[in-house]
Amino acid sequence: MRITDIIEKKIKKQELTKQEIEYFVTGYTNGEIKEYQVAALLMAIFLNGMNHQETTNLTIAMANSGKILDLSTLGEIIVDKHSTGGVGDKVSLILLPLVSSLGVPVAKMSGRGLGFTGGTVDKLESIPGYQTQIEINQFIKNVEKIGISMISQTLDLAPADKKLYALRDSISCVESIPLIASSIMSKKIASGAQKIVLDVTVGKGAFMKDIEQATQLSKTMIEIGKLANRQTICIITNMNEPLGYAIGNSLEVIEAVKFLKGDMPQDLKQVVLELGSYMLKLAKKGEDIEKNKIRLLENLENKKAYHKFLELVENQGGDIRYLTDLKKMPKASYIEPIYSKKNGYIQQIDSKKIGELVGILGAKREKKEDSIDAKVGIVLNQKVTNQVKIGDVLAYIHANDEEKLKEVKIKLEEEIKISEQKLEKEKTILGVITK
Ligand code: URA
């Protein structure tokens, strides 16, 4: 078999066989197939797609590229959560300690930022001391000990995805249903979850731009889940404007901690409660979705979820003094407000554009080996539909470089659109797909 023939087949829009897919996934994982060849193949898949069978075969080959964890020793139903990516998406930081505080074991392997979206691992690493790269045995021990562990993708689990994910990011091949479905489901299968709740984001700051695409991606992942005997539920959520107010790694940690202490932006709250209710349901901790939401809220109000988050951070080497006193969190050198120049109503805050601006400030990678600046980002002071007057603060830019600050300031002022008419709020939860 030759990789050049496989690339050529996909360029000609032909179906790849199971053996061809296994050949390229194994060859790339063990370094026998060159990165530029895989980049060419990914681009061909990105442009010409894959059918259902190919996507399933790709997922299974990626899951089998490393160990498949068996978490049955934990004795309870392991329910995992994953998002297809968003801007300001700090849901995992809040939701996972929350469900853990209600007795659902959480063994979560997260990703780094991809394209214009952020990644939970980059956010966790902005907490001084937090170790995202730990041995698998330790990962399981942590879940046994405190009911939760959140780590980055280790080389042992779905290593093919780790390499493909970073490569896709560096060649602008992220927004593809077969590549996203196989990336997410291979990780979930390898990390041992028996049941999976997926946050399928849709809109400007998501990889899926409309409900039809989001539904297609959801159905693809649910089907893969069925074949792998992993019950999967997809919640479709709105990502037209950033979720919550903060965008940027340590800024999102700060917002997550404030949320856990009771300061909950509406949109973020809805996503956390919806996903959490389905996680409880799949874990057999409560059949009724509305009642589950009430139980989740109780554990936010009584601070059990907040204390679980502190326990998680401490158990993974993080210094919780930064969280119990948020003023201690490392800050950017410049924190600059931007002001409204009009009276009216906030019409649009395009989350993709905001994600890109946060990238310019240094929170994202250009090349996969780049490091990022955890302290920079944007904290919005408004949500779409808010009424504003001339001189009101629209947002704060957190920057470490004066030139970048200037550039982002001009662009951000253009990106926060204000209309004279009052607008209707869009829904946050757009659908639930179970089959
Ligand atoms: N999240 C993933 O893990 N993979 C993708 O491809 C997109 C979002």
Side-chain angles (χ1 to χ4, degrees):
M1 221 175 269
R2 291 189 319 176
I3 184 69
T4 42
D5 297 333
I6 299 176
I7 299 169
E8 195 181 330
K9 253 180 116 176
K10 209 24 89 196
I11 290 173
K12 291 185 179 154
K13 302 192 177 143
Q14 290 166 7
E15 180 176 343
L16 302 183
T17 64
K18 184 167 182 272
Q19 290 73 21
E20 285 164 338
I21 290 171
E22 279 168 1
Y23 173 81
F24 107 75
V25 171
T26 314
Y28 182 48
T29 309
N30 62 28
E32 277 160 19
I33 298 178
K34 300 277 179 265
E35 191 140 85
Y36 53 79
Q37 293 174 310
V38 178
L41 180 56
L42 288 176
M43 183 61 79
I45 295 172
F46 180 83
L47 295 172
N48 295 333
M50 273 186 149
N51 66 23
H52 193 70
Q53 192 57 53
E54 289 174 292
T55 308
T56 305
N57 289 337
L58 178 59
T59 309
I60 304 297
M62 285 164 70
N64 285 334
S65 65
K67 284 188 196 148
I68 307 263
L69 266 192
D70 177 5
L71 296 178
S72 57
T73 52
L74 294 172
E76 295 199 55
I77 303 172
I78 305 293
V79 185
D80 204 351
K81 171 266 168 190
H82 205 86
S83 159
T84 59
V87 177
D89 180 351
K90 65 282 292 170
V91 171
S92 291
L93 300 178
I94 300 163
L95 171 65
L96 298 177
L98 174 57
V99 294
S100 168
S101 76
L102 280 159
V104 178
V106 172
K108 168 79 171 146
M109 204 168 73
S110 294
R112 296 190 182 275
L114 190 62
F116 51 85
T117 67
T120 302
V121 169
D122 293 331
K123 293 169 205 186
L124 286 170
E125 286 180 355
S126 74
I127 304 171
Y130 192 105
Q131 296 302 315
T132 58
Q133 293 178 21
I134 57 175
E135 293 290 324
I136 290 297
N137 289 346
Q138 191 58 47
F139 177 53
I140 296 178
K141 275 194 195 135
N142 285 357
V143 184
E144 279 167 353
K145 184 175 154 207
I146 64 160
I148 181 166
S149 185
M150 292 173 72
I151 62 166
S152 73
Q153 210 167 344
T154 73
L155 272 182
D156 299 359
L157 300 182
D161 176 60
K162 191 175 165 98
K163 290 183 87 174
L164 289 168
Y165 191 88
L167 181 57
R168 280 166 59 210
D169 191 26
S170 66
I171 59 168
S172 290
C173 277
V174 174
E175 294 171 29
S176 144
I177 289 180
L179 296 179
I180 295 175
S182 56
S183 163
I184 292 180
M185 293 307 286
S186 64
K187 275 196 286 276
K188 299 296 101 180
I189 293 169
S191 61
Q194 289 126 346
K195 312 229 171 193
I196 304 161
V197 175
L198 298 173
D199 182 359
V200 179
T201 53
V202 60
K204 295 192 168 65
F207 299 130
M208 299 295 104
K209 298 299 177 204
D210 54 44
I211 296 274
E212 288 69 39
Q213 278 183 350
T215 306
Q216 200 188 330
L217 174 61
S218 301
K219 294 201 164 173
T220 306
M221 294 193 289
I222 289 171
E223 278 304 311
I224 296 171
K226 268 188 210 151
L227 284 173
N229 202 17
R230 310 291 210 274
Q231 187 185 355
T232 304
I233 290 183
C234 295
I235 318 284
I236 302 188
T237 64
N238 192 332
M239 192 44 79
N240 275 331
E241 69 176 316
L243 200 56
Y245 292 90
I247 308 102
N249 296 299
S250 68
L251 297 171
E252 292 189 41
V253 169
I254 294 171
E255 187 171 41
V257 171
K258 286 186 180 163
F259 186 108
L260 289 165
K261 286 181 170 170
D263 180 3
M264 307 180 207
Q266 265 310 313
D267 54 350
L268 188 54
K269 182 173 169 184
Q270 283 181 43
V271 175
V272 166
L273 294 183
E274 195 74 26
L275 292 169
S277 301
Y278 279 96
M279 287 184 82
L280 292 181
K281 185 176 163 92
L282 288 187
K284 299 214 181 312
K285 302 268 181 200
E287 263 303 301
D288 186 309
I289 292 300
E290 292 314 311
K291 283 194 187 139
N292 288 351
K293 287 184 189 168
I294 293 168
R295 292 174 56 217
L296 291 163
L297 271 175
E298 268 167 22
N299 269 29
L300 284 164
E301 275 153 22
N302 62 24
K303 307 285 180 292
K304 286 195 177 157
Y306 168 65
H307 288 289
K308 185 53 81 178
F309 184 59
L310 294 183
E311 201 181 359
L312 159 73
V313 170
E314 194 158 43
N315 202 40
Q316 278 187 233
D319 186 341
I320 59 167
R321 286 172 302 175
Y322 290 90
L323 307 179
T324 51
D325 181 4
L326 287 171
K327 289 194 287 303
K328 289 205 171 85
M329 277 295 272
K331 298 259 168 3
S333 325
Y334 307 95
I335 301 177
E336 182 117 349
I338 64 157
Y339 300 100
S340 178
K341 294 182 178 142
K342 284 191 200 165
N343 292 325
Y345 299 87
I346 305 285
Q347 180 184 11
Q348 183 180 299
I349 308 176
D350 181 323
S351 42
K352 178 171 184 189
K353 299 273 172 51
I354 302 294
E356 286 167 351
L357 295 183
V358 169
I360 295 174
L361 291 169
K364 303 278 161 65
R365 291 173 189 78
E366 284 289 316
K367 297 189 292 312
K368 64 187 178 119
E369 48 284 336
D370 286 351
S371 59
I372 55 164
D373 186 342
K375 300 183 208 105
V376 298
I378 292 172
V379 179
L380 299 167
N381 200 41
Q382 308 291 344
K383 298 290 286 180
V384 171
T385 73
N386 278 12
Q387 186 170 20
V388 287
K389 293 195 287 303
I390 294 173
D392 283 352
V393 175
L394 298 179
Y396 294 92
I397 303 169
H398 293 238
N400 274 326
D401 177 304
E402 230 178 322
E403 285 309 307
K404 289 179 182 166
L405 172 63
K406 272 191 208 149
E407 179 184 349
V408 168
K409 198 171 170 195
I410 296 167
K411 292 187 171 152
L412 184 59
E413 276 170 356
E414 284 166 14
E415 282 315 327
I416 303 185
K417 309 250 190 280
I418 296 174
S419 108
E420 283 172 10
Q421 273 94 45
K422 203 169 166 19
L423 298 139
E424 234 178 77
K425 223 169 177 54
E426 289 182 0
K427 278 185 165 175
T428 303
I429 308 297
L430 302 171
V432 177
I433 304 193
T434 54
K435 54 183 187 289

